[in-house]
Amino acid sequence: MSANLPLEGVRICDFTAVWAGQSATMYLADMGAECIKVENPFIWNPMTRAASPRINAAMASVLPPWIAGHPNGDPGPRPWTNSPAFIQVLRNKKSFTVDSRRPEGLAIVKSLIRISDIVAENLAFGTLEKLGLDDDAIRRERPDAVILHMPAFGRSGAYVEGRGYGAHIDSVSGSTLLRGYADTAPGDNVQIFAGDFWGGVHGAFAVMAALRHRRLTGEGQVIELAQVESTAQMFPQAALDAAWNGRDAVSVGNRSIEGFVPNGAFRCHGTDRWIAITCRTDAEWVALITAMGRPAWALRAELETATGRAAAESEIEERLEEWTASHDLYSLFHQLQAAGVTAGPVMTAQDAVEDPQLRQSGAWTSLLATADYPETEFGAPPYRFENSDVGIRTPPALFGEHNEYVYLDLLGLSDDEYQRLEADGHIATAFDPDVVARA
Amino acid sequence: MDALAGLKVLDLTSHIAAPYCTKLLADLGARVIKVERPGGDSSRRLGPFLGDIPGPERSATFQFLNTNKESLGLDLATTDGREVALRLAKSCDLVVVGLAPAQAASLGLTYEDLRARTEAPVLEITNFGSSGPYRDYKLSDTVLFAMGGEMYSHGTLDRAPLKLGGTAALLQSGAMGAVAAMGAVHARELHGVGQRVELSLFATQINSIDRRSAAILAFRFSGRVQQRPVAATSGIVGGIYPTADGYVEVTASFGNYWQRFVEMVDDDALRDPKWLDPATALDPAAKEEADGIVYPWMLSRTKHEVWAEARRAHAMVAPLFTASDIVQDPVFRERGLWLDVEHQALGTFPMLGRPYVLEKTPWRLRQPAPTLGQHTDALLAEAGYGADEIAALRRSAVAA
């Protein structure tokens, strides 16, 4: 039976780095595109395969888990094959190596572009151009290519030379100022990379739309997704309030901009356990105070409406937390939902992996052990297709894992040519030791 | 030409998350038929409002989420209303359903009900999925981010975990729906399969590439749970700094980013090789010395001046923009982030424009968000109802 893959027959020549770009091509690979990651043994692309090629157990132990929680705390000799931050965006992909800065390497890249449908990149502005791979050069090889550029700040205008990671994209798009506590300075805001998630999803969507146009008309095109412009749309209420009413939204902490009162995260019994509660309607408020045993303070008539509750929001939050603090998180979660109150635990990673709903809905896929990580479970794509095999079909690509496939099967090089390129360092399954030492 | 020209979508969604999915489709050229309940989509009552005057056509939330869509006022809880939806489904290329599972069952609009009447793919966007212990549980933006997202490690340790700004989590999950929708469309057009595609908002957040999926895999690998930090500090130089008029975000801690940062600040004291010694990074006195150089440098410049210096040096430094900055920014304006909407009832107002530039099939505003029931008569006629039948549907308040 056919796998009915939505992007069957589509090949990506993938130059993406970090999270936004690599996740965009990950979504496309999940959908069945053959995504070939172009890697260079002589270049360490920061924040693309690991925090550092030289990260060791001691360094890992002082860095945050999300970036350095390697298997058993030990990155081992090849941190780029077991980084928790990066191997997941390599699922369903293939990896081959080439030093594209040398003429024969560039020729290899061009021959791959010739048989690719998509060229994707989010490198610093000008990086591909310096290699000799501007849009015109790409289209000389592949006139109907769909070219995805994901610059941080745009490919025209005064910000082209700006450099940034997720934190800077969140900053310029307005996200950082909107997500602190209401009463602390923005300098205390903790990083989270909402814009990476957003940019990757939008990049994949735009490419899928362009591919439909291409299938119907034969016409490729260039897509420019300036990540800050895209991510600014994650906060339309704030942007339009400024544009329409001249008002600058400020951070409201955990309060709702939808007029829901109460809305927030409240301490539960135990160590650092929190429940999120939202009263989306007046009926949910009644259900909440009923669950609380109808305490006298909550029975005031003015609290029956959201407007009335908004006037007493701080008091409600304090009283509510006095109540939640004596309750077990998960018992309270199920009790409140059963009573019709919108509520849920603030889930740690451990809560998530043990969660029965996620387990039952197929959120995880088993991943076999490799030399660099033990057997584990991996987040599956978040959608279930009834008749298409949209899931994890191949594990995260190892560095250079598909060299033979790309050079011999796809590009049709001879064994002699392969050996020559291997001898010249283009073809490798590890980074050059000098690169590792310098990075 | 539009990328999604000729794609007709029946949109049975409301509020914020799933309508953002269909907005992305509509803005690239799909015809999206938005079925609105009597009284209209709940997002029509969400602020902010144009001129701070509430009203169902004046909501920024609604205006943003429903550009380029057509509105059909329909009471799905009636037999006739349901029949209208099913007739429309038959002529569509995609159906997007945002009903809770119990609601879909009570309305008779489950996947099986729709499949009996259309061969189109059906994308079901639910809170937690169509089965499982949380099937009927409710969500808000905050509860979604708390359960699915990386809220637990966002914020500082002595305080409550923090959500993102606005309704970011709902919109992120809706965007993921648009990827699923395009998968369904490609599978249909390429292989001829119409199928059920299920997306739970919860699952989209669990997979998010904002740190969440990394924190989960890190826990599986190392047993370490990502905590909220005690404070938002980041090495000798790094994190958010105040400027004369705002703030900037600085990354200067690794790779050659330190060198670029030093070039930006251009102070010889920072060129001392001692700063490159890993031991320095752990020395509070060194941090104090660096602060003594960096803070005055930042505070004597505006955030835009700092950013200009950063771009010159290719330093990883960028300003924290306010919403007004995003509205007024001349570069964003010149590049076309904003456009003016001509609305039949409201006049002209600014709107966020394209999130991406597609060279051959540009994002475009064909029409502003519809007024409630603006296309009811035309859509009923398209579904095969005669003038008398339409009048009857209106009289009985099935259609509006």
Short mmCIF file of all heavy atoms in Angstrom, two decimals, chain B residues 133-190:
data_model
loop_
_atom_site.label_atom_id
_atom_site.label_comp_id
_atom_site.label_asym_id
_atom_site.label_seq_id
_atom_site.Cartn_x
_atom_site.Cartn_y
_atom_site.Cartn_z
N PRO B 133 -8.43 10.23 28.17
CA PRO B 133 -9.01 10.72 29.42
C PRO B 133 -9.30 12.23 29.44
O PRO B 133 -10.16 12.67 30.18
CB PRO B 133 -7.95 10.35 30.48
CG PRO B 133 -6.70 10.04 29.73
CD PRO B 133 -7.13 9.55 28.38
N TYR B 134 -8.60 13.00 28.64
CA TYR B 134 -8.84 14.46 28.66
C TYR B 134 -9.78 14.89 27.53
O TYR B 134 -9.91 16.09 27.28
CB TYR B 134 -7.53 15.24 28.51
CG TYR B 134 -6.43 14.92 29.49
CD1 TYR B 134 -5.13 15.39 29.27
CD2 TYR B 134 -6.65 14.18 30.65
CE1 TYR B 134 -4.10 15.11 30.16
CE2 TYR B 134 -5.63 13.89 31.53
CZ TYR B 134 -4.35 14.35 31.28
OH TYR B 134 -3.33 14.07 32.15
N ARG B 135 -10.38 13.93 26.83
CA ARG B 135 -11.11 14.26 25.61
C ARG B 135 -12.05 15.45 25.76
O ARG B 135 -12.10 16.34 24.92
CB ARG B 135 -11.92 13.04 25.14
CG ARG B 135 -12.60 13.25 23.80
CD ARG B 135 -13.60 12.16 23.50
NE ARG B 135 -14.79 12.32 24.33
CZ ARG B 135 -15.96 11.74 24.09
NH1 ARG B 135 -16.07 10.95 23.05
NH2 ARG B 135 -16.98 11.93 24.90
N ASP B 136 -12.78 15.49 26.87
CA ASP B 136 -13.79 16.53 27.03
C ASP B 136 -13.32 17.71 27.89
O ASP B 136 -14.11 18.55 28.27
CB ASP B 136 -15.07 15.93 27.61
CG ASP B 136 -15.67 14.89 26.68
OD1 ASP B 136 -15.64 15.12 25.45
OD2 ASP B 136 -16.15 13.84 27.16
N TYR B 137 -12.03 17.74 28.18
CA TYR B 137 -11.52 18.83 29.01
C TYR B 137 -11.43 20.13 28.21
O TYR B 137 -11.27 20.13 27.00
CB TYR B 137 -10.14 18.47 29.58
CG TYR B 137 -10.18 17.50 30.75
CD1 TYR B 137 -11.37 16.91 31.17
CD2 TYR B 137 -9.02 17.17 31.43
CE1 TYR B 137 -11.39 16.03 32.24
CE2 TYR B 137 -9.02 16.29 32.50
CZ TYR B 137 -10.21 15.72 32.91
OH TYR B 137 -10.22 14.86 33.96
N LYS B 138 -11.49 21.23 28.96
CA LYS B 138 -11.48 22.55 28.34
C LYS B 138 -10.08 23.17 28.39
O LYS B 138 -9.25 22.82 29.22
CB LYS B 138 -12.48 23.46 29.05
CG LYS B 138 -13.92 22.93 28.91
CD LYS B 138 -14.94 23.97 29.26
CE LYS B 138 -15.34 23.91 30.71
NZ LYS B 138 -16.50 24.78 31.01
N LEU B 139 -9.87 24.10 27.49
CA LEU B 139 -8.58 24.79 27.40
C LEU B 139 -8.76 26.30 27.32
O LEU B 139 -9.75 26.79 26.81
CB LEU B 139 -7.85 24.39 26.11
CG LEU B 139 -6.99 23.15 26.05
CD1 LEU B 139 -6.30 23.10 24.69
CD2 LEU B 139 -5.95 23.15 27.15
N SER B 140 -7.77 27.00 27.80
CA SER B 140 -7.60 28.42 27.49
C SER B 140 -6.17 28.57 27.00
O SER B 140 -5.39 27.62 27.06
CB SER B 140 -7.80 29.26 28.76
OG SER B 140 -6.80 28.92 29.72
N ASP B 141 -5.82 29.75 26.56
CA ASP B 141 -4.43 29.98 26.13
C ASP B 141 -3.46 29.60 27.26
O ASP B 141 -2.45 28.94 27.02
CB ASP B 141 -4.25 31.45 25.75
CG ASP B 141 -2.83 31.77 25.34
OD1 ASP B 141 -2.44 31.37 24.23
OD2 ASP B 141 -2.11 32.39 26.14
N THR B 142 -3.80 30.01 28.49
CA THR B 142 -2.89 29.76 29.61
C THR B 142 -2.82 28.28 29.96
O THR B 142 -1.73 27.74 30.20
CB THR B 142 -3.35 30.58 30.84
OG1 THR B 142 -3.50 31.94 30.45
CG2 THR B 142 -2.35 30.48 31.97
N VAL B 143 -3.96 27.61 29.98
CA VAL B 143 -3.96 26.18 30.32
C VAL B 143 -3.25 25.39 29.21
O VAL B 143 -2.51 24.44 29.48
CB VAL B 143 -5.40 25.68 30.55
CG1 VAL B 143 -5.44 24.16 30.65
CG2 VAL B 143 -5.97 26.31 31.82
N LEU B 144 -3.43 25.81 27.98
CA LEU B 144 -2.73 25.15 26.87
C LEU B 144 -1.22 25.25 27.03
O LEU B 144 -0.49 24.26 26.91
CB LEU B 144 -3.16 25.80 25.54
CG LEU B 144 -2.39 25.37 24.29
CD1 LEU B 144 -2.52 23.88 24.04
CD2 LEU B 144 -2.88 26.15 23.07
N PHE B 145 -0.73 26.45 27.33
CA PHE B 145 0.71 26.63 27.47
C PHE B 145 1.22 25.94 28.73
O PHE B 145 2.35 25.40 28.75
CB PHE B 145 1.06 28.12 27.47
CG PHE B 145 2.54 28.38 27.35
CD1 PHE B 145 3.25 27.96 26.24
CD2 PHE B 145 3.22 29.03 28.36
CE1 PHE B 145 4.61 28.18 26.13
CE2 PHE B 145 4.59 29.27 28.26
CZ PHE B 145 5.29 28.84 27.14
N ALA B 146 0.40 25.93 29.79
CA ALA B 146 0.81 25.28 31.04
C ALA B 146 1.01 23.79 30.83
O ALA B 146 2.01 23.21 31.26
CB ALA B 146 -0.25 25.52 32.11
N MET B 147 0.07 23.16 30.16
CA MET B 147 0.13 21.71 30.00
C MET B 147 1.05 21.29 28.85
O MET B 147 1.87 20.39 28.99
CB MET B 147 -1.27 21.16 29.75
CG MET B 147 -2.21 21.34 30.94
SD MET B 147 -3.87 20.68 30.63
CE MET B 147 -3.54 18.92 30.58
N GLY B 148 0.86 21.93 27.71
CA GLY B 148 1.61 21.51 26.54
C GLY B 148 2.96 22.18 26.42
O GLY B 148 3.94 21.57 26.03
N GLY B 149 3.01 23.47 26.74
CA GLY B 149 4.20 24.27 26.48
C GLY B 149 5.22 24.22 27.61
O GLY B 149 5.07 23.48 28.59
N GLU B 150 6.24 25.02 27.47
CA GLU B 150 7.36 25.00 28.41
C GLU B 150 7.18 26.08 29.48
O GLU B 150 8.13 26.74 29.90
CB GLU B 150 8.67 25.16 27.63
CG GLU B 150 9.95 24.94 28.41
CD GLU B 150 10.10 23.60 29.12
OE1 GLU B 150 9.31 22.67 28.86
OE2 GLU B 150 11.00 23.49 29.95
N MET B 151 5.94 26.24 29.95
CA MET B 151 5.66 27.26 30.97
C MET B 151 6.44 27.00 32.26
O MET B 151 6.88 27.94 32.92
CB MET B 151 4.15 27.27 31.25
CG MET B 151 3.71 28.35 32.24
SD MET B 151 1.90 28.53 32.13
CE MET B 151 1.60 29.74 33.42
N TYR B 152 6.59 25.74 32.61
CA TYR B 152 7.21 25.40 33.89
C TYR B 152 8.58 26.05 34.06
O TYR B 152 8.95 26.44 35.17
CB TYR B 152 7.34 23.87 34.03
CG TYR B 152 7.96 23.45 35.33
CD1 TYR B 152 7.25 23.53 36.53
CD2 TYR B 152 9.27 22.99 35.38
CE1 TYR B 152 7.82 23.16 37.73
CE2 TYR B 152 9.86 22.62 36.58
CZ TYR B 152 9.13 22.70 37.74
OH TYR B 152 9.70 22.34 38.94
N SER B 153 9.35 26.16 32.97
CA SER B 153 10.70 26.73 33.10
C SER B 153 10.76 28.17 32.63
O SER B 153 11.84 28.73 32.48
CB SER B 153 11.71 25.89 32.33
OG SER B 153 11.54 26.04 30.94
N HIS B 154 9.61 28.79 32.39
CA HIS B 154 9.58 30.19 31.95
C HIS B 154 9.19 31.07 33.12
O HIS B 154 8.13 30.88 33.71
CB HIS B 154 8.60 30.35 30.78
CG HIS B 154 8.58 31.73 30.20
ND1 HIS B 154 7.42 32.42 29.98
CD2 HIS B 154 9.59 32.55 29.82
CE1 HIS B 154 7.71 33.61 29.47
NE2 HIS B 154 9.01 33.71 29.37
N GLY B 155 10.03 32.05 33.44
CA GLY B 155 9.83 32.85 34.64
C GLY B 155 11.00 32.63 35.59
O GLY B 155 12.01 32.06 35.19
N THR B 156 10.86 33.09 36.81
CA THR B 156 11.95 32.90 37.77
C THR B 156 11.50 32.00 38.91
O THR B 156 10.31 31.89 39.21
CB THR B 156 12.48 34.25 38.30
OG1 THR B 156 11.37 35.06 38.69
CG2 THR B 156 13.28 34.97 37.24
N LEU B 157 12.49 31.38 39.54
CA LEU B 157 12.22 30.25 40.43
C LEU B 157 11.33 30.61 41.63
O LEU B 157 10.52 29.81 42.06
CB LEU B 157 13.55 29.65 40.92
CG LEU B 157 13.45 28.34 41.70
CD1 LEU B 157 12.75 27.27 40.88
CD2 LEU B 157 14.83 27.85 42.10
N ASP B 158 11.48 31.82 42.15
CA ASP B 158 10.72 32.17 43.35
C ASP B 158 9.29 32.57 43.02
O ASP B 158 8.51 32.85 43.93
CB ASP B 158 11.44 33.31 44.09
CG ASP B 158 11.58 34.56 43.21
OD1 ASP B 158 11.68 34.40 41.97
OD2 ASP B 158 11.58 35.68 43.75
N ARG B 159 8.95 32.62 41.76
CA ARG B 159 7.61 33.09 41.39
C ARG B 159 6.90 32.04 40.53
O ARG B 159 7.46 31.02 40.16
CB ARG B 159 7.72 34.41 40.64
CG ARG B 159 8.48 35.46 41.43
CD ARG B 159 8.32 36.82 40.84
NE ARG B 159 6.93 37.29 40.88
CZ ARG B 159 6.55 38.50 40.53
NH1 ARG B 159 7.44 39.38 40.11
NH2 ARG B 159 5.29 38.86 40.59
N ALA B 160 5.66 32.35 40.18
CA ALA B 160 4.87 31.42 39.38
C ALA B 160 5.46 31.28 37.98
O ALA B 160 6.00 32.23 37.43
CB ALA B 160 3.43 31.90 39.28
N PRO B 161 5.32 30.09 37.39
CA PRO B 161 5.68 29.95 35.98
C PRO B 161 4.85 30.94 35.15
O PRO B 161 3.72 31.26 35.51
CB PRO B 161 5.29 28.51 35.65
CG PRO B 161 5.23 27.81 36.97
CD PRO B 161 4.82 28.84 37.97
N LEU B 162 5.44 31.39 34.03
CA LEU B 162 4.83 32.46 33.24
C LEU B 162 4.37 31.97 31.87
O LEU B 162 5.07 31.22 31.21
CB LEU B 162 5.87 33.54 32.97
CG LEU B 162 5.93 34.78 33.84
CD1 LEU B 162 7.06 35.67 33.32
CD2 LEU B 162 4.62 35.54 33.84
N LYS B 163 3.22 32.48 31.46
CA LYS B 163 2.77 32.21 30.09
C LYS B 163 3.47 33.16 29.13
O LYS B 163 4.23 34.04 29.54
CB LYS B 163 1.27 32.38 29.99
CG LYS B 163 0.76 33.82 30.09
CD LYS B 163 -0.76 33.83 30.05
CE LYS B 163 -1.32 35.25 29.93
NZ LYS B 163 -1.13 35.84 28.59
N LEU B 164 3.20 33.01 27.85
CA LEU B 164 3.68 33.94 26.84
C LEU B 164 2.74 35.13 26.80
O LEU B 164 1.69 35.14 27.44
CB LEU B 164 3.72 33.27 25.46
CG LEU B 164 4.56 31.99 25.37
CD1 LEU B 164 4.40 31.35 23.99
CD2 LEU B 164 6.03 32.30 25.63
N GLY B 165 3.08 36.15 26.02
CA GLY B 165 2.21 37.31 25.88
C GLY B 165 0.96 36.98 25.09
O GLY B 165 0.90 35.99 24.36
N GLY B 166 -0.05 37.83 25.24
CA GLY B 166 -1.27 37.75 24.41
C GLY B 166 -1.90 36.39 24.44
O GLY B 166 -2.11 35.79 25.49
N THR B 167 -2.21 35.88 23.25
CA THR B 167 -2.77 34.53 23.10
C THR B 167 -1.83 33.72 22.20
O THR B 167 -2.27 33.00 21.30
CB THR B 167 -4.17 34.57 22.48
OG1 THR B 167 -4.10 35.28 21.23
CG2 THR B 167 -5.16 35.28 23.39
N ALA B 168 -0.54 33.86 22.47
CA ALA B 168 0.47 33.28 21.58
C ALA B 168 0.32 31.77 21.42
O ALA B 168 0.45 31.24 20.31
CB ALA B 168 1.87 33.62 22.08
N ALA B 169 0.04 31.07 22.51
CA ALA B 169 -0.01 29.61 22.42
C ALA B 169 -1.16 29.16 21.52
O ALA B 169 -1.00 28.24 20.70
CB ALA B 169 -0.14 28.99 23.81
N LEU B 170 -2.30 29.81 21.63
CA LEU B 170 -3.43 29.44 20.77
C LEU B 170 -3.07 29.67 19.30
O LEU B 170 -3.38 28.84 18.44
CB LEU B 170 -4.66 30.28 21.13
CG LEU B 170 -5.35 29.99 22.46
CD1 LEU B 170 -6.47 31.00 22.71
CD2 LEU B 170 -5.90 28.57 22.49
N LEU B 171 -2.44 30.80 19.03
CA LEU B 171 -2.11 31.11 17.63
C LEU B 171 -1.05 30.17 17.09
O LEU B 171 -1.12 29.73 15.94
CB LEU B 171 -1.67 32.58 17.52
CG LEU B 171 -2.79 33.59 17.76
CD1 LEU B 171 -2.23 34.99 17.99
CD2 LEU B 171 -3.76 33.61 16.58
N GLN B 172 -0.06 29.83 17.91
CA GLN B 172 0.96 28.87 17.47
C GLN B 172 0.31 27.55 17.07
O GLN B 172 0.63 26.96 16.04
CB GLN B 172 1.95 28.59 18.61
CG GLN B 172 2.86 29.76 18.97
CD GLN B 172 3.60 29.52 20.27
OE1 GLN B 172 3.23 28.65 21.07
NE2 GLN B 172 4.63 30.30 20.52
N SER B 173 -0.59 27.08 17.92
CA SER B 173 -1.22 25.79 17.65
C SER B 173 -2.09 25.86 16.41
O SER B 173 -2.17 24.90 15.64
CB SER B 173 -2.03 25.35 18.87
OG SER B 173 -1.16 25.13 19.96
N GLY B 174 -2.75 27.01 16.21
CA GLY B 174 -3.55 27.18 15.00
C GLY B 174 -2.68 27.14 13.75
O GLY B 174 -3.04 26.55 12.73
N ALA B 175 -1.51 27.76 13.83
CA ALA B 175 -0.59 27.76 12.69
C ALA B 175 -0.17 26.33 12.33
O ALA B 175 -0.07 25.97 11.16
CB ALA B 175 0.63 28.62 13.00
N MET B 176 0.04 25.52 13.38
CA MET B 176 0.39 24.12 13.13
C MET B 176 -0.75 23.43 12.37
O MET B 176 -0.51 22.54 11.53
CB MET B 176 0.61 23.46 14.49
CG MET B 176 1.41 22.21 14.50
SD MET B 176 3.18 22.44 14.33
CE MET B 176 3.41 21.77 12.71
N GLY B 177 -1.97 23.85 12.66
CA GLY B 177 -3.12 23.31 11.93
C GLY B 177 -3.05 23.59 10.44
O GLY B 177 -3.48 22.78 9.62
N ALA B 178 -2.49 24.75 10.09
CA ALA B 178 -2.40 25.09 8.67
C ALA B 178 -1.42 24.16 7.94
O ALA B 178 -1.61 23.85 6.76
CB ALA B 178 -1.99 26.55 8.50
N VAL B 179 -0.37 23.73 8.64
CA VAL B 179 0.55 22.75 8.04
C VAL B 179 -0.18 21.42 7.83
O VAL B 179 -0.07 20.80 6.76
CB VAL B 179 1.80 22.57 8.93
CG1 VAL B 179 2.69 21.46 8.38
CG2 VAL B 179 2.58 23.88 9.01
N ALA B 180 -0.95 21.01 8.83
CA ALA B 180 -1.73 19.78 8.70
C ALA B 180 -2.72 19.90 7.54
O ALA B 180 -2.89 18.97 6.74
CB ALA B 180 -2.47 19.49 10.00
N ALA B 181 -3.36 21.07 7.43
CA ALA B 181 -4.33 21.28 6.35
C ALA B 181 -3.67 21.15 4.98
O ALA B 181 -4.21 20.50 4.07
CB ALA B 181 -4.98 22.67 6.49
N MET B 182 -2.49 21.74 4.85
CA MET B 182 -1.80 21.64 3.55
C MET B 182 -1.36 20.20 3.28
O MET B 182 -1.35 19.76 2.12
CB MET B 182 -0.59 22.58 3.51
CG MET B 182 -0.92 24.05 3.31
SD MET B 182 -2.03 24.38 1.91
CE MET B 182 -1.10 23.70 0.55
N GLY B 183 -1.01 19.47 4.33
CA GLY B 183 -0.70 18.05 4.14
C GLY B 183 -1.90 17.31 3.59
O GLY B 183 -1.80 16.51 2.65
N ALA B 184 -3.07 17.60 4.16
CA ALA B 184 -4.29 16.95 3.70
C ALA B 184 -4.60 17.33 2.25
O ALA B 184 -5.01 16.48 1.44
CB ALA B 184 -5.45 17.34 4.62
N VAL B 185 -4.39 18.59 1.91
CA VAL B 185 -4.67 19.05 0.55
C VAL B 185 -3.71 18.39 -0.45
O VAL B 185 -4.12 17.91 -1.50
CB VAL B 185 -4.56 20.60 0.48
CG1 VAL B 185 -4.55 21.09 -0.96
CG2 VAL B 185 -5.72 21.23 1.26
N HIS B 186 -2.44 18.36 -0.11
CA HIS B 186 -1.47 17.72 -1.02
C HIS B 186 -1.78 16.23 -1.19
O HIS B 186 -1.74 15.72 -2.30
CB HIS B 186 -0.05 17.90 -0.48
CG HIS B 186 0.57 19.21 -0.87
ND1 HIS B 186 1.01 19.48 -2.14
CD2 HIS B 186 0.82 20.33 -0.15
CE1 HIS B 186 1.51 20.72 -2.19
NE2 HIS B 186 1.41 21.25 -0.99
N ALA B 187 -2.09 15.56 -0.10
CA ALA B 187 -2.38 14.12 -0.20
C ALA B 187 -3.60 13.89 -1.09
O ALA B 187 -3.65 12.93 -1.87
CB ALA B 187 -2.61 13.53 1.19
N ARG B 188 -4.57 14.79 -0.99
CA ARG B 188 -5.78 14.66 -1.82
C ARG B 188 -5.44 14.91 -3.28
O ARG B 188 -5.83 14.14 -4.17
CB ARG B 188 -6.82 15.67 -1.34
CG ARG B 188 -8.09 15.69 -2.19
CD ARG B 188 -9.04 14.62 -1.71
NE ARG B 188 -10.15 14.36 -2.61
CZ ARG B 188 -11.19 15.17 -2.78
NH1 ARG B 188 -11.26 16.33 -2.14
NH2 ARG B 188 -12.18 14.83 -3.60
N GLU B 189 -4.72 16.00 -3.54
CA GLU B 189 -4.46 16.38 -4.93
C GLU B 189 -3.45 15.45 -5.60
O GLU B 189 -3.50 15.24 -6.80
CB GLU B 189 -4.00 17.85 -5.00
CG GLU B 189 -5.11 18.80 -4.58
CD GLU B 189 -4.75 20.28 -4.68
OE1 GLU B 189 -3.57 20.61 -4.93
OE2 GLU B 189 -5.66 21.11 -4.49
N LEU B 190 -2.56 14.89 -4.79
CA LEU B 190 -1.51 14.03 -5.35
C LEU B 190 -1.96 12.56 -5.44
O LEU B 190 -1.72 11.89 -6.43
CB LEU B 190 -0.26 14.13 -4.46
CG LEU B 190 1.05 13.60 -5.00
CD1 LEU B 190 1.45 14.34 -6.27
CD2 LEU B 190 2.15 13.76 -3.94
#
